[in-house]
């Protein structure tokens, strides 16, 4: 396929402008067996994440006597893309994404509370359309909060990239394939610390600076979706709570 | 830990009275739901729940070489993933024997009933459509066989048929339906002590001595599999085959209704 | 004023000593979903794990019975341990037991004492954060269920509930409903209606 023009008169192929996210919808606890779980639809991405633990870390040599170890598994369903059938399970890309996702949550989970234990985070991409690692982190964050595993912050992630000399937020699959740069970022919203940062392509120092700003700005919308999902089970009563005291 | 842990004594007492912990009688299914088209990127998809068991089936079609022994037909392959997110005992890593058995039993039900009309999947000499059926277990609460078979049937029944034009696969736009032959579903029974029950949940399944899966279409038994270390008597198998023809009517109706039939 | 807060939310601009919160840069933040009551200076977690305290009653399932120690699955980050020489009850794998938390050792293992085997019945797992609601003030809620259903019920602080006999189906329904609706006002009334068969 020839490279399509990704931006025309300030509009992207799907009609968004440079700063607009795709629609995000999150729900909690679709996986009944897990300690906590969440389902996210982010544009055409559909991802389920579930958390198990804290539980005894096995095999034993993976245990850390001082704190919980975090294990993460990100995989893509073989039917998740609009193209040909994929291979199930882990490939090199999935192994790397699992690792950086794990590190995001190592940063926020209060691991000292559970020495010798493991906390397992699973991210299953059921349908993919670009930006699945960011959507997966955003979703896993909600699954962890739903499980009651203590965290010092609730990360979100989104990608920023560059096309036709313009920085664009939240790249979909076509943009991801043909953009000149892609930079997925995860943020701890309370502290605004950068918790994941990857990049490939071609960006000026100023692009990097402005790209990070765009991602921090986007946090308002993404964390709102996360919070609404977590509060939904309690929502109808939050007003009554105040009334009842 | 499962949400409910039954003791042997409790379970046997209940079964001897012909009732179960969740209020069902011995030959009732749990509430079953089917959601079609959850994954629009796949040619076909269906999410099926049996109580808290949740299975997502996805169908993909690619162009490939026909099998050597069937040069004028398309082919089909079934895979099953017992995702570690679905239960605390499911491991990451290569497919377990349980996952392989599940995929093969579901595969046989589809294949033997000619659920996919593979003759219509021939393209040209050396080229045919390969159908991939992938079963994704999203939450385990027993009876993966029947829930997976139903998810596969519903996903196939509603799958799009991509086109092959000028050496390229066209997956979007005006497309027809995947050619379907007979609709096949399955019923799986467990034997616990002297009782036989349909559609066990996870807390019952632990106590199963023997298990039997019977897949059928409207006319014929199409595939069977006995599992676990216990055994069935010939008379029990006869009874269960008969039961399966009775029970499967509703299952087929549920699949047909997803196409408004 | 009470407010619903999420992990990472700042609940006070000054350091407070409260469970389920942390202090960073002089500010107090929640670490789980919960309700923060500013006037009472209290934090009630709505989702969360069980943190054992000595003296608490638990329900567990014997995972492995050994010569000197018994390993107990108590559905928590750590295994429960019963040291046989301090106990006269002999246990077998699969037994359901009621026991008391004696102490937490340095490795995080939970030492249990006074085990009692519960024969038959079944065990329901609920969220540990909902156990106080299931018990009710001075155990009123659970007593109501036992009285109306005539079931034997033992509630572990770890979220395991043993049920045997009586109308155990009704007891199960009531317990699961308390778990699901613990935060909705008027729960006691609804449960008693349910137990009276008025729903």
């Amino acid at each position: 396929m020839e490279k399509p023009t990704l931006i025309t008169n300030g509009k992207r192929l799907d009609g968004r402008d440079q700063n607009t996210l795709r629609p995000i919808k999150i729900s909690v606890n679709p996986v009944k067996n897990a300690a906590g779980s969440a389902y996210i639809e982010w544009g055409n991405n559909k991802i389920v994440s579930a958390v198990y633990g804290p539980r005894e870390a096995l095999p034993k040599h993976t245990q850390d006597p001082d704190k919980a170890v975090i294990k993460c598994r990100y995989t893509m369903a073989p039917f998740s893309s609009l193209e040909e059938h994929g291979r199930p399970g882990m490939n090199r890309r999935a192994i790397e994404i699992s690792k950086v996702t794990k590190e995001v949550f190592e940063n926020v989970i209060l691991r000292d509370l559970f020495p010798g234990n493991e906390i397992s985070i699973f991210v299953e991409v059921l349908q993919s359309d670009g930006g699945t690692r960011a959507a997966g982190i955003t979703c896993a964050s909600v699954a962890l909060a739903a499980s009651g595993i203590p965290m010092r912050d609730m990360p979100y992630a989104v990608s920023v990239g560059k096309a036709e000399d313009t920085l664009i937020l939240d790249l979909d699959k076509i943009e991801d394939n043909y953009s000149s740069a892609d930079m997925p970022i995860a943020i701890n919203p309370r502290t605004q610390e950068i918790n994941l940062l990857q990049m490939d392509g071609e960006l000026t120092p100023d692009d990097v600076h402005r790209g990070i700003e765009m991602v921090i700005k986007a946090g308002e919308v993404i964390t709102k979706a996360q919070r609404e999902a977590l509060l939904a089970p309690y929502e109808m009563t939050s007003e009554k709570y105040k009334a009842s005291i | 830990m499962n949400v409910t842990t039954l003791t042997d004594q409790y379970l046997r007492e209940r079964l001897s009275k012909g009732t179960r912990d969740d209020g069902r009688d011995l030959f009732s299914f749990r509430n079953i739901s089917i959601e079609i088209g959850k994954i629009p990127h796949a040619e076909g998809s269906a999410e099926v729940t049996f109580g808290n068991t949740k299975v997502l089936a996805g169908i993909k079609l690619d162009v490939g070489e026909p099998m050597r022994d069937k040069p004028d037909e398309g082919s089909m392959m079934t895979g099953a993933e017992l995702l570690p997110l679905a239960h605390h005992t499911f491991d990451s890593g290569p497919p377990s024997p349980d996952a392989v058995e599940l995929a093969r039993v579901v595969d046989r039900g589809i294949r033997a009933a000619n659920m996919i009309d593979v003759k219509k999947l021939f393209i040209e000499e050396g080229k045919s459509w390969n159908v991939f059926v992938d079963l994704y277990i999203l939450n385990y609460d027993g009876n993966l066989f029947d829930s997976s078979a139903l998810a596969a049937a519903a996903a196939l029944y509603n799958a799009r048929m991509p086109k092959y034009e000028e050496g390229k696969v066209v997956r979007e736009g005006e497309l027809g339906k995947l050619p379907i032959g007979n609709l096949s579903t399955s019923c799986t029974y467990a034997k616990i002590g002297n009782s036989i029950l349909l559609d066990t949940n996870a807390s019952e399944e632990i106590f199963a001595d023997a298990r039997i899966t019977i897949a059928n279409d409207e006319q014929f038994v199409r595939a069977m599999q006995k599992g676990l270390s216990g055994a069935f008597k010939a008379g029990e198998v006869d009874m269960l085959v008969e039961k399966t023809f009775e029970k499967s009517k509703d299952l087929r109706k549920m699949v047909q209704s997803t196409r408004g039939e | 004023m009470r407010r619903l807060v999420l992990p990472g939310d700042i609940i006070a601009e000054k350091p407070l000593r409260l469970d389920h919160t942390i202090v960073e840069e002089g500010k107090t933040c929640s670490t789980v979903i919960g309700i923060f009551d500013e006037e009472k200076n209290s934090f009630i977690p709505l989702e969360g794990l069980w943190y054992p305290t000595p003296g608490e009653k638990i329900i567990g399932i014997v995972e492995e019975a050994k010569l000197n120690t018994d390993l107990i699955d108590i559905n928590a980050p750590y295994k429960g341990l019963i040291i046989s020489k301090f106990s006269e009850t002999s246990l077998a794998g699969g037994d359901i037991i009621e026991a008391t938390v004696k102490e937490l050792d340095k490795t995080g293992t939970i030492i249990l004492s006074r085990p009692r085997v519960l024969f038959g019945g079944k065990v329901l797992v609920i969220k540990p954060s909902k156990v106080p609601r299931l018990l009710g003030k001075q155990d009123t809620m659970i007593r109501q269920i036992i009285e109306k259903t005539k079931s034997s019920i033992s509630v572990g602080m770890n979220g395991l509930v043993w049920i045997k006999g009586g109308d155990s189906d009704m007891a199960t329904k009531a317990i699961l409903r308390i778990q699901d609706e613990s935060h909705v006002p008027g729960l006691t009334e609804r449960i008693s209606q349910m137990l009276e068969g008025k729903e």
Side-chain angles (χ1 to χ4, degrees):
Chain A
M1 194 169 154
E2 241 172 85
K3 179 187 176 302
T5 308
L6 294 176
I7 305 178
T8 323
N9 300 329
K11 293 282 178 206
R12 292 151 74 174
L13 289 174
D14 60 1
R16 286 185 288 158
D17 62 28
Q18 67 172 129
N19 272 308
T20 310
L21 294 159
R22 290 172 283 177
I24 300 173
K25 217 169 73 193
I26 308 175
S27 57
V28 291
N29 291 333
V31 179
K32 301 292 174 213
N33 287 338
S37 61
Y39 174 68
I40 193 168
E41 290 189 357
W42 180 319
N44 286 325
N45 291 313
K46 295 174 187 234
I47 300 170
V48 58
S49 173
V51 174
Y52 283 81
R55 55 185 179 188
E56 186 183 19
L58 291 173
K60 274 207 153 111
H61 69 83
T62 63
Q63 289 184 1
D64 181 330
D66 297 323
K67 54 186 181 294
V69 292
I70 311 298
K71 294 179 180 172
C72 180
R73 181 182 188 265
Y74 160 103
T75 42
M76 258 182 169
F79 46 78
S80 62
S81 96
L82 200 46
E83 280 121 53
E84 72 270 29
H85 182 254
R87 277 163 157 259
M90 300 289 267
N91 52 25
R92 292 171 65 83
R93 174 181 173 275
I95 290 168
E96 187 199 346
I97 293 177
S98 300
K99 180 173 184 291
V100 294
T101 301
K102 177 192 78 155
E103 287 159 354
V104 165
F105 292 106
E106 280 176 347
N107 180 274
V108 291
I109 294 172
L110 303 187
R111 297 195 288 148
D112 300 356
L113 295 176
F114 314 104
N117 273 250
E118 69 177 40
I119 293 165
S120 309
I121 302 166
F122 300 108
V123 177
E124 286 294 340
V125 180
L126 305 177
Q127 179 163 287
S128 62
D129 189 27
T132 57
R133 86 190 62 191
I137 288 167
T138 303
C139 185
S141 206
V142 175
L144 276 159
S147 76
I149 290 169
M151 293 190 285
R152 48 187 280 272
D153 213 344
M154 211 166 66
Y156 70 89
V158 64
S159 168
V160 62
K162 194 175 183 181
E164 328 297 352
D165 274 331
T166 310
L167 288 177
I168 49 174
L169 187 69
D170 184 22
L171 286 68
D172 64 21
K173 185 73 187 155
I174 295 178
E175 290 173 334
D176 194 20
N177 288 352
Y178 297 103
S179 60
S180 59
D182 176 27
M183 179 165 70
I185 294 174
I187 300 281
N188 297 343
R190 173 170 60 85
T191 58
Q192 299 202 341
E193 293 162 302
I194 295 167
N195 197 349
L196 169 140
L197 175 63
Q198 295 181 294
M199 185 261 165
D200 79 303
E202 192 179 283
L203 290 178
T204 65
D206 187 52
D207 287 337
V208 173
H209 177 79
R210 287 190 302 130
I212 292 171
E213 274 183 348
M214 281 166 76
V215 168
I216 290 176
K217 186 92 204 324
E220 288 169 24
V221 178
I222 304 170
T223 51
K224 185 161 174 274
Q226 290 176 307
R227 298 180 70 89
E228 280 174 357
L230 285 163
L231 294 175
Y234 301 102
E235 199 171 45
M236 54 167 189
T237 57
S238 60
E239 287 307 308
K240 284 188 193 163
Y241 255 126
K242 289 172 197 163
S244 73
I245 28 170
Chain B
M1 209 175 264
N2 288 326
V3 174
T4 313
T5 305
L6 307 176
T7 57
D8 204 35
Q9 185 195 339
Y10 174 86
L11 184 62
R12 276 161 210 264
E13 266 170 33
R14 285 217 71 143
L15 293 179
S16 68
K17 289 180 200 150
T19 68
R20 295 159 78 168
D21 184 56
D22 56 10
R24 286 182 290 159
D25 63 35
L26 301 189
F27 288 107
S28 288
F29 278 111
R30 288 168 284 181
N31 282 334
I32 297 175
S33 72
I34 305 179
E35 188 188 338
I36 295 300
K38 187 154 176 163
I39 308 298
H41 282 185
E43 271 73 67
S45 64
E47 187 174 275
V48 163
T49 63
F50 276 45
N52 280 333
T53 287
K54 196 189 273 187
V55 180
L56 175 63
I59 311 295
K60 272 290 190 190
L61 270 79
D62 288 342
V63 173
E65 279 181 35
M67 305 292 270
R68 215 173 284 170
D69 54 340
K70 286 173 183 160
D72 54 354
E73 290 181 5
S75 69
M76 156 200 152
M77 216 178 107
T78 307
E81 294 271 320
L82 305 184
L83 301 177
L85 67 66
H87 196 250
H88 66 96
T89 60
F90 292 175
D91 284 329
S92 316
S96 64
D98 286 343
V100 172
E101 184 188 28
L102 172 64
R104 289 181 59 86
V105 171
V106 172
D107 187 284
R108 288 210 292 277
I110 298 169
R111 205 177 285 274
N114 303 310
M115 188 137 79
I116 304 168
D117 192 346
V118 284
K119 294 256 189 259
K120 293 192 181 143
L121 298 184
F122 176 74
I123 299 171
E124 58 189 50
E125 173 113 25
K127 273 204 181 90
S128 69
W129 291 101
N130 296 334
V131 183
F132 296 91
V133 179
D134 283 287
L135 302 165
Y136 249 46
I137 312 304
L138 294 174
N139 197 65
Y140 165 73
D141 190 13
N143 197 9
L144 294 180
F145 287 96
D146 300 348
S147 48
S148 297
L150 195 66
L156 287 167
Y157 203 64
N158 290 276
R160 306 186 289 270
M161 186 66 218
K163 289 182 207 162
Y164 189 64
E165 284 171 351
E166 292 160 15
K168 273 188 188 154
V169 179
V170 181
R171 295 178 194 272
E172 290 178 290
E174 287 275 313
L175 299 173
K177 294 260 185 210
L178 178 73
I180 294 291
N182 298 310
L183 204 48
S184 137
T185 59
S186 74
C187 293
T188 298
Y189 308 86
K191 195 174 184 180
I192 301 174
N194 293 319
S195 305
I196 294 178
L197 49 160
L198 175 68
D199 182 30
T200 47
N201 62 33
S203 60
E204 295 167 334
E205 214 158 88
I206 299 169
F207 292 98
D209 303 312
R211 187 192 71 221
I212 187 165
T213 302
I214 301 169
N216 68 318
D217 54 27
E218 216 172 332
Q219 266 191 302
F220 299 105
V221 177
R222 293 295 188 170
M224 296 203 271
Q225 179 95 334
K226 192 236 109 183
L228 308 180
S229 53
F232 289 92
K233 296 199 178 85
E236 290 172 336
V237 174
D238 289 341
M239 184 271 281
L240 293 175
V241 166
E242 202 175 309
K243 204 79 182 168
T244 302
F245 275 95
E246 179 195 321
K247 287 283 162 192
S248 60
K249 281 181 199 150
D250 286 343
L251 295 177
R252 283 196 302 277
K253 249 184 230 154
M254 289 182 77
V255 176
Q256 283 159 347
S257 71
T258 59
R259 238 157 84 168
E261 289 165 7
Chain C
M1 207 185 86
R2 299 167 74 169
R3 16 187 203 124
L4 269 166
V5 294
L6 295 178
D9 285 0
I10 296 172
I11 60 169
E13 295 293 328
K14 57 179 187 214
L16 297 176
R17 283 177 65 102
L18 272 178
D19 283 347
H20 313 287
T21 68
I22 50 158
V23 174
E24 276 187 16
E25 292 167 352
K27 293 172 183 173
T28 309
C29 311
S30 74
T31 61
V32 293
I33 306 180
I35 298 166
F36 174 59
D37 189 326
E38 213 168 311
E39 281 145 39
K40 291 185 195 154
N41 192 33
S42 79
F43 188 97
I44 305 162
L46 288 172
E47 303 292 341
L49 314 160
W50 172 61
Y51 298 90
T53 358
E56 275 181 339
K57 181 172 94 173
I58 60 97
I59 305 290
I61 298 175
V62 178
E63 195 174 277
E64 209 182 340
K66 292 194 216 162
L67 201 57
N68 299 320
T69 53
D70 302 307
L71 275 181
I72 317 293
D73 185 351
I74 49 176
N75 201 36
Y78 298 98
K79 290 274 180 286
L81 201 71
I82 292 173
I83 299 168
S84 309
K85 66 175 172 182
F86 299 131
S87 161
E88 298 189 348
T89 317
S90 86
L91 302 175
D95 280 353
I96 297 166
I97 62 156
E98 188 185 86
T100 307
V101 176
K102 188 168 174 235
E103 58 177 290
L104 315 171
D105 80 4
K106 271 183 230 152
T107 64
T109 307
I110 298 162
I111 313 280
L112 301 170
S113 67
R114 287 185 283 152
R116 187 165 77 89
V117 179
L118 303 169
F119 293 99
K122 64 171 181 178
V123 172
L124 214 58
V125 180
I126 66 165
K127 294 178 184 172
S129 57
K130 311 293 178 183
V131 169
R133 203 73 182 86
L134 171 59
L135 294 173
K137 276 182 192 142
Q138 272 116 40
D139 294 349
T140 43
M141 184 75 92
I142 192 69
R143 271 199 219 142
Q144 179 184 211
I145 298 173
I146 293 172
E147 202 176 290
K148 295 279 159 55
T149 60
K150 309 272 184 269
S151 296
S152 307
I153 302 176
S154 180
V155 182
M157 294 309 290
N158 57 336
L160 269 58
V161 183
W162 176 77
I163 308 165
K164 185 186 179 180
D167 189 351
S168 59
D169 289 354
M170 176 61 91
T172 305
K173 257 187 233 160
I175 291 165
L176 292 177
R177 184 153 178 201
I178 292 166
Q179 165 172 257
D180 292 342
E181 299 180 10
S182 66
H183 55 287
V184 186
L187 181 67
T188 316
E189 183 57 26
R190 282 198 309 283
I191 295 296
S192 82
Q193 292 278 322
M194 182 182 167
L195 293 168
E196 299 280 355
K198 285 182 188 159
E199 269 187 17

